[in-house]
Amino acid sequence: LFIIGHAEVVSTPALGNAGATWRIENNTTGVNLDLLSGAFIIGGLTVRNNTTGLLANGADIATVVSTPLNPSSITGNGTDVDLRFGTRATFADVPIGSITCDDTVLSRGTTVCPAAP
C-alpha cells in the first residue's frame, strides 16, 4: 500500500460493524506513507512478513487503532514501524514488535518512539 502526496486512506468500521480487513504481507515495504500523505485506520490492519512493516517519511499523520471486534497488528517484519522526517503517529492498542524514529517525529498512544539517548 503506497500513499503519496496529499492522499489519505481512511478505514473505519460502520456503526455496529467490525469494519474492513487489510492484510499486507511479503513485501519490501508493507505500508508506505510518503510526503504529506496520511492514514487513519481503525481496526483490521495486519502487517507482517515485510522487510519494513510501516514506513512513514514526511507523512502528515499515521493513525492505527485496534478494536476488540477487528484487531490490528504490525509485527513479524524486519522493522515493524519506521517513522521519519516530521511524521505524526498515533498507535492505540496495536501490537508493534519494533519501532524506530528520527528526532523530528511526534508519536503518542500505547506504542511511542523510543526516547533519544
Side-chain angles (χ1 to χ4, degrees), residues 13-38:
L15 188 59
N17 188 341
T21 300
W22 298 68
R23 179 158 293 161
I24 302 171
E25 301 175 319
N26 304 314
N27 300 285
T28 302
T29 303
V31 177
N32 190 340
L33 301 172
D34 205 16
L35 188 62
L36 301 177
S37 65

Side-chain angles (χ1 to χ4, degrees), residues 18-91:
T21 300
W22 298 68
R23 179 158 293 161
I24 302 171
E25 301 175 319
N26 304 314
N27 300 285
T28 302
T29 303
V31 177
N32 190 340
L33 301 172
D34 205 16
L35 188 62
L36 301 177
S37 65
F40 186 78
I41 299 170
I42 299 180
L45 177 68
T46 301
V47 182
R48 63 182 177 204
N49 297 326
N50 302 285
T51 304
T52 301
L54 185 148
L55 170 64
N57 188 7
D60 183 26
I61 283 182
T63 299
V64 182
V65 177
S66 192
T67 65
L69 290 177
N70 202 8
S72 295
S73 66
I74 306 172
T75 59
N77 302 282
T79 299
D80 292 309
V81 174
D82 184 354
L83 304 176
R84 304 175 187 175
F85 192 60
T87 295
R88 293 176 290 160
T90 301
F91 299 105

